[in-house]
Amino acid sequence: RYYELFVLQKAVRPAWAARGLHQSALEVLKCPPPEETVTASFGRFISEMKPQHLSPVTLHRSKRMVLDSIGVGLVGSTTDVFELALQHCQHVYAPDDISSVYGRKGTRLSPTLAAFVNGVATHSMDFDDTWHPATHPSGAVLPAVLALADMMPAHRKLSGLDLLLAFNIGIEIQGQLMRFSNKAHDIPKRFHPPSVVGTLGSAAACARLLSLDPSQCSHALAIAASLAGAPMANAATQSKPLHVGNASRLGLEAALLASRGLKASHVVLDAVTGVAGLSAFYEDYLPQPLHPPGDGGHMFLLEEQDVAFKRFPAHLGMHWVADAAASVHKVLVGVGPGSVSPGEVKDILLRVPRSKYIDRPLPASEHEARHSFQFNACSALLDGEVTAGSFAPAAMSRPDLLALLSRVRVEHPHDNPANFSLMYGEVRVVLNGGDVVTGRCDTFYGHWRNPLTSESLRRKFRHNAGAVLPPERVEELMEVVEELDRAGDCRALLSQLQ
């Protein structure tokens, strides 16, 4: 009977097996022709977008992103992790004096290495902008397009509007890709999103700045997909800023390789059965074509939803508990100067989303502290706010702060999902006398639902850029960014970054 069954199986053996093909290979053979793929639609979109498709709202918001990203990059150039990355590039690679480095007058690197170190600077303090679904959009794109603009020959003059169009395309590609997955809406668990969609966003922006044709733009995205990905295990370490630096650098490399004719999969963004493209990162990935602009133009996602700008350098989730704890501080101390005494506090309860990598009871480094609900809540409770100085070694080792940290408990309510659009932060403090003071934050100041005013954003920029530039240069740089869409040559911006 076994023999009879074997013969029957041989008799009905499918054609794909008879030809020596695995079934997954058959699925590749069934792929739609390149011109009909989702990947091809993204390539056409990148190639065919024009400056007139940028609405006044999109231009305004993207210039705010450029200003903030440059500011956090400049202050990030003062950090240890930036210095290590810069030394590595200077010592390991042959010098190639083309592209500017944030905050280092006279220092230039090859375009890809400049994109890398400036991307590292942007994320070195976790001070850069955040979008929803969750990613850091600007840091992966802006350093790449700035480095590429530095690389362009003198006769190829790029306007400020050219730069903004490429930047916005890089942001748009990230936003569109993130919306193809429901899991992307939650605080990540497996991989850091900018290391995936940021790499493709950088490739898209650079492909546009290089004026690649639709097919080359598609290949740039596919090449970038082979260079993407970083695990969340390196969150809260010095290696996390490398994720954004690599996204910027490798996206630029992908576009340059595509410009030389290197080809890759024409279905990398598609949902082809048996072939993993972006679905390797998002299991529920369900893509849709991205239609090029018609007569009515294209409305960028940035027009529908602003980004979040951080008031202090820490993971975005920290801003909810910091604001909630600051409101408790205000009740206990009042509006004026003063500090909460740990001797008055019996118990501190944080009601926050469940997210393991930002639940850190006793952080041992500044990078862990930037990813600790407990640390940021206690810092705000003690001082009434969290600032860049809160993560200095002396501030982190204060006895009063350590005493408060020892009294923290954490709960994860079912109605508080790990989602930047739906979460809240609640801090409940029980005093020794039995009184209970509770603070709650549903939308912190700086969130896309409650954006920073222009004055607040400019104040943040002055503080950050002023760490490395003289005051007059800081003011000039703000004006250059404000007028960027009307600048005939973007080199006016490039010259201001050192």
Side-chain angles (χ1 to χ4, degrees), residues 330-351:
K330 197 171 291 187
V331 171
L332 297 179
V333 176
V335 179
S339 183
V340 171
S341 170
E344 303 173 15
V345 177
K346 180 179 181 181
D347 180 74
I348 303 170
L349 174 65
L350 308 184
R351 303 181 78 238

Side-chain angles (χ1 to χ4, degrees), residues 152-190:
M152 291 296 186
H155 69 271
R156 175 82 188 279
K157 187 169 67 172
L158 294 173
S159 70
L161 202 52
D162 292 330
L163 196 76
L164 284 171
L165 176 62
F167 176 77
N168 275 283
I169 287 173
I171 302 303
E172 181 73 7
I173 295 303
Q174 294 180 72
Q176 293 288 347
L177 292 174
M178 297 288 282
R179 281 159 177 76
F180 294 157
S181 164
N182 288 324
K183 291 185 178 180
H185 287 70
D186 297 332
I187 296 176
K189 297 178 182 178
R190 296 189 300 120

Side-chain angles (χ1 to χ4, degrees), residues 49-185:
M49 291 300 293
K50 299 291 188 293
Q52 56 264 34
H53 297 125
L54 297 173
S55 72
V57 170
T58 301
L59 281 171
H60 171 71
R61 288 178 172 174
S62 60
K63 285 191 293 184
R64 281 163 55 92
M65 295 167 71
V66 168
L67 183 71
D68 185 70
S69 188
I70 289 173
V72 299
L74 287 169
V75 72
S77 71
T78 67
T79 62
D80 291 341
V81 64
F82 172 83
E83 183 64 32
L84 291 172
L86 179 59
Q87 288 178 8
H88 168 73
C89 291
Q90 289 177 317
H91 294 172
V92 174
Y93 299 95
D96 192 354
D97 303 336
I98 295 176
S99 298
S100 305
V101 174
Y102 281 163
R104 298 299 172 100
K105 189 172 180 60
T107 299
R108 289 181 175 268
L109 298 171
S110 71
T112 54
L113 294 182
F116 171 67
V117 297
N118 289 341
V120 169
T122 303
H123 197 59
S124 63
M125 300 171 69
D126 217 317
F127 212 177
D128 44 334
D129 56 20
T130 307
W131 215 11
H132 181 74
T135 194
H136 301 286
S138 296
V141 173
L142 186 62
V145 296
L146 291 175
L148 184 54
D150 258 335
M151 175 183 171
M152 291 296 186
H155 69 271
R156 175 82 188 279
K157 187 169 67 172
L158 294 173
S159 70
L161 202 52
D162 292 330
L163 196 76
L164 284 171
L165 176 62
F167 176 77
N168 275 283
I169 287 173
I171 302 303
E172 181 73 7
I173 295 303
Q174 294 180 72
Q176 293 288 347
L177 292 174
M178 297 288 282
R179 281 159 177 76
F180 294 157
S181 164
N182 288 324
K183 291 185 178 180
H185 287 70

Side-chain angles (χ1 to χ4, degrees), residues 443-496:
T443 302
F444 65 86
Y445 181 44
H447 191 276
W448 49 83
R449 289 193 299 264
N450 186 21
L452 296 183
T453 64
S454 294
E455 183 50 43
S456 291
L457 192 67
R458 290 167 77 91
R459 188 183 310 120
K460 175 186 174 181
F461 180 81
R462 287 189 180 99
H463 183 270
N464 288 338
V468 294
L469 298 180
E472 62 275 10
R473 289 278 306 283
V474 173
E475 298 301 317
E476 289 174 10
L477 187 49
M478 283 194 295
E479 294 310 309
V480 168
V481 173
E482 180 59 34
E483 297 294 322
L484 190 57
D485 54 323
R486 292 177 283 276
D489 190 341
C490 70
R491 289 180 177 83
L493 173 61
L494 302 176
S495 65
Q496 298 283 333

Side-chain angles (χ1 to χ4, degrees), residues 186-193 231-233 354-357 418:
D186 297 332
I187 296 176
K189 297 178 182 178
R190 296 189 300 120
F191 63 89
H192 197 202
M232 287 306 298
R354 186 182 300 279
S355 183
K356 189 173 183 179
Y357 88 97

Side-chain angles (χ1 to χ4, degrees), residues 18-33:
R19 292 168 57 193
L21 297 173
H22 189 274
Q23 188 172 10
S24 64
L26 183 67
E27 298 296 342
V28 174
L29 296 177
K30 289 182 179 179
C31 289

Side-chain angles (χ1 to χ4, degrees), residues 293-307:
D295 293 337
H298 173 84
M299 186 169 73
F300 282 84
L301 292 172
L302 190 59
E303 188 168 339
E304 302 172 15
Q305 178 189 292
D306 208 343
V307 300

